[in-house]
Amino acid sequence: MNGTSPHLHLPISVRLIMFKVLAALVPGIAVYVWFFGAAILVQIALASAAALAGEAAMLRLRGKPVGLFLSDGSALVTAWLIALTFPPIAPWWLTVSATLFAIVVAKHLYGGLGQNPFNPAMVAFCVSIIAFPALMSKWPAVGFTDFSAQMAVVFQSQSAQDAVTMATPLDALRTQLHVPEARATVAGVLGSHASFGNIGGKGWEWIALAYLLGGLWLLQQRVITWHVPVAFLGVLALIAGGFSLANPDRYAGPVFHVVTGGAMLGAFFILTDPVSGATTPRGKLIFAAGVALLAWIIRTFGAYPDGMAFGVLLMNLCVPLIDMGTQPPVFGHKDEQKGGTP
Amino acid sequence: MLASLFKFRGGVKPASHKDESTRAPIVRAPLPARLVVPLRQSAGGTPLPLVKAGQKVLKGERIGAPEGSFSAAIHAPTSGTVLSIEHRMLPHPSGLSAPCVVIEPDGEERWIERVPANYAAESPDALRDLLRDSGIVGLGGATFPSHLKLKPGASGRIGNLIVNGAECEPWITCDDLLMRERAGDIVRGIAILRHIASAERVLIGIEDNKPQAIAAMRAATARSEGIEVVPVPTRYPAGGEKQLIRVLTGIEIPYGRIGPEFGVQCFNVGTAWSVHRAVELGEPLVSRIVTLTGNVERPGNFEVLIGTPIDDLLALVGPKGDTDRYVMGGPMMGFTLPRTDLPVTKAANCILAASPALFPPPGQEMPCIRCGACTRACPAELQPHELYWFSRAKNFGKAQEYHIFDCIECGCCAYVCPSNIRLVDYYRFAKTSMRALEREKNASDAARLRFEFRNFRTEREQKEKAERLAAKTAAARQAIAGGEKPAAAAPSPAAAEQTPALPHLDEAKKALIAAAVERARAQKEGVQPKNTDNLAPEKQAEIREIEARRAKVREIAKTPPEEPV
Ligand code: SF4
Ligand code: SF4
């Protein structure tokens, strides 16, 4: 089948795209290690191993060329995103089983690469946070970077209770503002702990900045387009800004929302998953805006610390509809009567 | 008036590789030992041969008459003897074969009497006929008969003439060199086209990677009013007809519509050049410029007689040892030649020698990851990955809804796809399948219409006969009353056959047909309808008296009616 046009092809591949995504994550991971210790590297390794094993097993079961697909890098991207959205001191079995679930159920049972309607990493996140809410909200405090102590928690020779853990600022805000009697204010909660900082929580804002850097590089490499990050961060900031203007005591401001939690990672690396996201330019805007809205609502009023994962899955559901409704006009069909404007 | 540029969306920028074949001027290819001239070299009907084996022909002598108006004439490329007229394989993506005139050149290149015309004194109609009889077709590769493209639209004229010198496919340089070397003649041809179309403005679009061609064409048009050379950004497929029209005028011509409807039409520079030769020199189209390039030792451009075997040309440029196939056209839209002993046709702009090193085959096909690269590259602003999905699933209705027929098969989507999906192949498959389905449907529609028409006619004949019979019976009764013998009452079958044909059925007739079909069905179920049902009661009473004779009439009515043509 070599004989048909075009006879020329750009030397790009799915593998190259996936490895660019992985490379773009590296600055964020480096900053992560700086603030929260090296445990995240172990988590990434665990998730990667689980993802590759799961992928290989499923490919063999489905009779697909194992080597070809295993090396496409898509399983690694899923694994890294799972590790980066989970607490770095999550027990090892949680990371492993969540990753296996993502690969086996969310990816391969739906048909494998290119066919999964839901973002596998976000499926893993949602399943885990529903099943193990406590484990999923134990984060190491800033400064708790002792590797062996972290490993003790991960491999459960020591319980998380004994480790120096704390809620993320996002979680703290959500739980404390939820109790009306407490008369807490945003400023009060964020000021209650030195490591929360003023912007997004010390550490988080720097990690977010590093993700932003990687994301901008992906934009420059044309791996992603501007639509998703701009719409997601823009709408999130807009809603947060509007509410915090109206009631700054009760609602955190736009900058806080944009740099905290998974927002920046989501904007450039998770929502931009081409397989489960919308494909048309207008569709991408709608998709990302929808996630932003849902994320903000769940963060502010919901029962879970970060609403991004739920927002993504809910919007994944709407993708076929969004794509269908946002088909751009075809060349020459913009104005069927006049054939375009001279 | 300075033309402002519009943008077309999408497109790609593959390496152009134009330098290889532009280092030397155009060379006239030597006369081959045999010329194989296909009779069908344009979209439209196959011209009928005008010569017989053994006959001597002169250069430029007509050997194929245009078949109807949607076709162009074919001429002997040189003087010599017709050896045979036989089916030969053509250089065509489908490898089809067609009648060809095989000529043995006598080496004298003796022309027919060439009659130059003064175009300004001729009417557009006469000039269009002249173009058709000179075998002028689009030399950009589509070979659409040029005289047909010069039919004015509703406004009676084609206001904007676009001349395509973009030549956006990598490797191909035949238009580039033609513009560099023969700009003056091209502009003369443009003047003729402009006269026929009574065009106000002419825009010559040339990709800005051809500075020499732009300079030459600018010099040649310096003193012409209303002709402008416009450099367009180098981006494939800027030379796609619709893309070029869009870039130069902002007009977007959708699928299934034609330029004149929008007051614009597009001609290739090579076509303009051959128009000049045909009109002002009286030389029909017997040669064209062909780029020979790719994996060869001495790439270049050659002026080649139509019908020259490609093998003869390859000998001129020396293909390298690892050449594994030859592509006719460019690397983006060209097709692989099944063999190289095929003749050069009017469509042959480039023969590209390919090797695995020069054109590496795409990697293993992976699933679509919906990355959208194809969408960003598509100049027709389609959603290639959706089309791929629907074509693959044979969901042709959806594919059509997503405008698959607007796809110009430019290959941009497949060029950029990281999953190495042979996207264009899927579209070709879907389009061919749909066209086949359409043909089948048309055929069965026609059959159904024929059947219904036959029922309708049978029914109507019977009714008419009955009416005539009734009238005659009445006359006979009167005659009997007057003491005369009745004439033979059976109407002649010939008279019954005089039913007008019904090519265009209007609503009333359709209703009649429906009624007829319904009656036919009832008849089949054994309900014998009376032909007299529709008559007035008093006539029925009269008719009852001649039942016996009616039986005989029925016999005649049962003879099978002819098929409508
Ligand atoms: S470029 Fe290929 S992989 Fe990407 S969306 Fe298009 S068809 Fe799918
Ligand atoms: S081949 Fe068709 S679908 Fe692909 S880019 Fe060209 S016009 Fe678009």
Side-chain angles (χ1 to χ4, degrees):
Chain A
M1 277 299 279
N2 216 353
T4 52
S5 63
H7 304 269
L8 276 182
H9 303 274
L10 268 187
I12 53 163
S13 58
V14 173
R15 185 182 309 162
L16 186 67
I17 291 179
M18 295 295 173
F19 281 102
K20 278 184 177 172
V21 173
L22 293 178
L25 281 169
V26 169
I29 296 171
V31 179
Y32 199 126
V33 171
W34 177 264
F35 281 101
F36 293 101
I40 186 65
L41 298 178
V42 175
Q43 297 284 3
I44 288 175
L46 284 172
S48 300
L52 290 177
E55 179 98 346
M58 287 312 284
L59 286 170
R60 171 140 319 145
L61 270 176
R62 295 177 56 220
K64 300 271 171 187
V66 178
L68 176 71
F69 281 88
L70 204 58
S71 62
D72 69 18
S74 61
L76 283 182
V77 170
T78 300
W80 288 29
L81 291 178
I82 289 174
L84 290 174
T85 47
F86 277 36
I89 50 169
W92 67 272
W93 56 264
L94 182 58
T95 309
V96 168
S97 55
T99 308
L100 281 174
F101 188 82
I103 296 291
V104 173
V105 178
K107 185 176 180 184
H108 280 283
L109 291 191
Y110 281 102
L113 178 66
Q115 304 278 325
N116 47 295
F118 298 105
N119 186 317
M122 293 299 97
V123 170
F125 186 92
C126 288
V127 168
S128 303
I129 204 164
I130 291 168
F132 305 100
L135 290 174
M136 287 295 283
S137 43
K138 283 282 174 295
W139 288 73
V142 178
F144 172 46
T145 56
D146 179 47
F147 185 65
S148 55
Q150 287 186 334
M151 285 305 99
V153 181
V154 172
F155 292 99
Q156 297 200 298
S157 51
Q158 187 190 352
S159 86
Q161 255 60 38
D162 306 329
V164 188
T165 66
M166 59 187 286
T168 60
L170 198 56
D171 205 12
L173 266 192
R174 184 184 58 80
T175 41
Q176 292 177 38
L177 292 181
H178 255 288
V179 194
E181 316 80 76
R183 306 214 171 277
T185 62
V186 170
V189 174
L190 291 183
S192 69
H193 199 290
S195 70
F196 280 3
N198 297 321
I199 305 181
K202 277 203 187 90
W204 285 118
E205 50 218 29
W206 293 106
I207 297 172
L209 208 64
Y211 285 146
L212 173 67
L213 217 67
L216 291 177
W217 180 72
L218 284 185
L219 264 176
Q220 186 265 330
Q221 291 288 305
R222 313 250 295 151
V223 171
I224 59 172
T225 61
W226 60 269
H227 305 83
V228 163
V230 167
F232 176 74
L233 296 175
V235 169
L236 187 61
L238 216 69
I239 304 174
F243 276 84
S244 87
L245 261 185
N247 188 351
D249 283 345
R250 184 129 177 72
Y251 301 104
V255 180
F256 171 83
H257 270 286
V258 164
V259 301
T260 197
M264 206 59 90
L265 184 68
F268 289 98
F269 296 91
I270 299 173
L271 275 70
T272 48
D273 169 33
V275 175
S276 58
T279 56
T280 64
R282 272 195 306 145
K284 284 177 181 170
L285 295 176
I286 295 171
F287 175 79
V291 179
L293 180 67
L294 289 166
W296 183 84
I297 291 173
I298 298 172
R299 275 176 172 191
T300 311
F301 307 110
Y304 295 100
D306 198 345
M308 251 214 9
F310 290 100
V312 168
L313 293 190
L314 285 173
M315 289 311 289
N316 281 163
L317 271 177
C318 309
V319 160
L321 212 63
I322 295 175
D323 271 353
M324 213 189 299
T326 56
Q327 289 299 318
V330 166
F331 183 93
H333 294 272
K334 278 144 208 156
D335 182 345
E336 297 284 3
Q337 259 60 55
K338 289 192 303 181
T341 39
Chain B
M1 182 168 37
L2 214 70
S4 55
L5 285 182
F6 297 80
K7 276 200 180 121
F8 74 92
R9 274 193 42 209
V12 294
K13 277 193 158 198
S16 76
H17 287 286
K18 305 252 188 192
D19 293 342
E20 284 89 330
S21 52
T22 50
R23 289 182 198 129
I26 297 172
V27 175
R28 190 180 273 265
L31 203 57
R34 290 272 185 290
L35 286 163
V36 179
V37 187
L39 284 167
R40 184 178 192 275
Q41 292 197 53
S42 69
T46 302
L48 299 169
L50 295 172
V51 288
K52 284 203 255 328
Q55 185 178 335
K56 290 236 182 298
V57 288
L58 293 175
K59 184 174 177 121
E61 185 174 332
R62 218 189 305 171
I63 57 176
E67 160 74 4
S69 67
F70 191 27
S71 167
I74 295 291
H75 304 78
T78 186
S79 58
T81 313
V82 175
L83 294 181
S84 61
I85 295 159
E86 58 191 46
H87 265 73
R88 294 270 190 117
M89 190 192 267
L90 300 189
H92 190 272
S94 63
L96 59 85
S97 63
C100 297
V101 178
V102 184
I103 296 174
E104 181 176 45
D106 57 15
E108 292 172 28
E109 295 262 43
R110 256 183 309 129
W111 273 95
I112 45 159
E113 192 198 339
R114 285 167 278 181
V115 193
N118 173 15
Y119 74 87
E122 302 283 347
S123 73
D125 274 333
L127 287 168
R128 276 200 294 268
D129 287 348
L130 177 62
L131 297 188
R132 182 193 64 206
D133 295 339
S134 303
I136 307 296
V137 301
L139 293 185
T143 64
F144 198 86
S146 298
H147 65 280
L148 293 172
K149 286 179 80 172
L150 285 161
K151 287 242 164 73
S155 62
R157 59 189 301 184
I158 300 165
N160 289 303
L161 213 60
I162 304 297
V163 178
N164 191 344
E167 200 166 50
C168 59
E169 272 253 19
W171 297 95
I172 308 181
T173 57
C174 55
D175 290 349
D176 186 0
L177 283 203
L178 193 72
M179 288 188 284
R180 291 189 200 186
E181 297 182 12
R182 304 178 193 181
D185 290 347
I186 295 173
V187 175
R188 296 172 104 113
I190 292 172
I192 300 167
L193 289 169
R194 187 182 184 183
H195 171 74
I196 302 175
S198 61
E200 221 164 82
R201 196 159 75 126
V202 181
L203 297 169
I204 306 171
I206 306 173
E207 273 196 345
D208 56 16
N209 62 355
K210 302 176 196 43
Q212 297 182 44
I214 293 172
M217 291 296 287
R218 281 217 163 123
T221 53
R223 261 168 291 131
S224 319
E225 270 292 307
I227 300 190
E228 203 180 324
V229 175
V230 190
V232 299
T234 299
R235 184 161 50 118
Y236 176 84
E241 195 166 289
K242 289 180 177 177
Q243 278 64 41
L244 190 63
I245 291 174
R246 160 86 193 153
V247 168
L248 294 179
T249 66
I251 297 169
E252 290 189 4
I253 300 171
Y255 169 74
R257 308 286 295 276
I258 52 168
E261 293 178 49
F262 303 91
V264 58
Q265 192 57 285
C266 185
F267 291 91
N268 176 266
V269 285
T271 315
W273 181 73
S274 63
V275 165
H276 151 71
R277 313 252 341 151
V279 176
E280 294 185 312
L281 304 178
E283 290 183 4
L285 179 50
V286 293
S287 65
R288 67 157 300 144
I289 315 294
V290 182
T291 305
L292 296 165
T293 186
N295 199 42
V296 297
E297 300 287 353
R298 302 171 293 278
N301 283 279
F302 296 83
E303 184 167 357
V304 181
L305 292 180
I306 304 298
T308 305
I310 290 168
D311 275 331
D312 287 37
L313 296 180
L314 293 175
L316 300 174
V317 292
K320 294 182 189 165
D322 59 338
T323 301
D324 63 344
R325 68 208 143 101
Y326 294 91
V327 171
M328 185 164 133
M332 296 301 287
M333 290 182 85
F335 60 93
T336 305
L337 286 168
R339 306 197 317 234
T340 52
D341 59 347
L342 309 174
V344 164
T345 60
K346 294 176 185 177
N349 50 2
C350 177
I351 308 291
L352 184 59
S355 71
L358 212 51
F359 299 102
Q364 170 80 34
E365 186 165 315
M366 300 283 284
C368 168
I369 55 167
R370 294 165 37 99
C371 67
C374 50
T375 307
R376 292 196 290 276
C378 178
E381 297 170 37
L382 301 167
Q383 303 277 314
H385 64 279
E386 304 274 13
L387 293 179
Y388 156 69
W389 186 249
F390 297 135
S391 306
R392 213 184 126 115
K394 302 204 177 126
N395 190 345
F396 297 141
K398 267 286 185 194
Q400 226 165 339
E401 225 175 87
Y402 279 69
H403 297 284
I404 192 166
F405 281 104
D406 281 83
C407 167
I408 56 172
E409 299 186 16
C410 66
C412 290
C413 51
Y415 174 75
V416 299
C417 176
S419 287
N420 300 315
I421 302 172
R422 314 275 320 165
L423 290 161
V424 189
D425 285 347
Y426 286 95
Y427 311 149
R428 290 193 187 108
F429 161 75
K431 287 185 193 174
T432 337
S433 310
M434 271 187 269
R435 290 203 179 104
L437 285 176
E438 183 69 12
R439 264 197 303 277
E440 266 170 43
K441 190 181 161 295
N442 285 344
S444 72
D445 276 357
R448 186 170 47 76
L449 209 64
R450 259 201 313 276
F451 172 74
E452 285 172 359
F453 176 67
R454 202 165 86 173
N455 281 338
F456 160 70
R457 195 171 61 173
T458 313
E459 187 63 25
R460 195 175 65 173
E461 280 163 9
Q462 288 181 351
K463 194 171 137 194
E464 281 170 1
K465 278 172 196 164
E467 276 167 2
R468 269 195 299 275
L469 195 63
K472 277 201 174 155
T473 313
R477 281 173 64 85
Q478 266 175 355
I480 289 166
E484 270 180 41
K485 276 187 107 186
S492 81
E497 283 305 320
Q498 283 172 4
T499 34
L502 285 179
H504 309 291
L505 298 170
D506 56 32
E507 285 312 305
K509 281 171 182 164
K510 275 188 191 145
L512 270 176
I513 290 175
V517 171
E518 177 52 34
R519 274 195 294 276
R521 194 184 55 75
Q523 209 166 24
K524 225 171 158 186
E525 285 165 8
V527 188
Q528 284 290 328
K530 288 207 173 76
N531 288 325
T532 52
D533 280 354
N534 293 334
L535 297 178
E538 60 268 27
K539 279 190 179 167
Q540 284 185 26
E542 291 167 357
I543 285 163
R544 238 177 274 121
E545 295 180 23
I546 52 163
E547 272 305 327
R549 215 175 282 153
R550 280 208 61 220
K552 192 177 155 203
V553 172
R554 271 208 209 98
E555 278 304 311
I556 297 163
K558 267 185 200 155
T559 50
E562 275 172 33
E563 294 279 298
V565 240

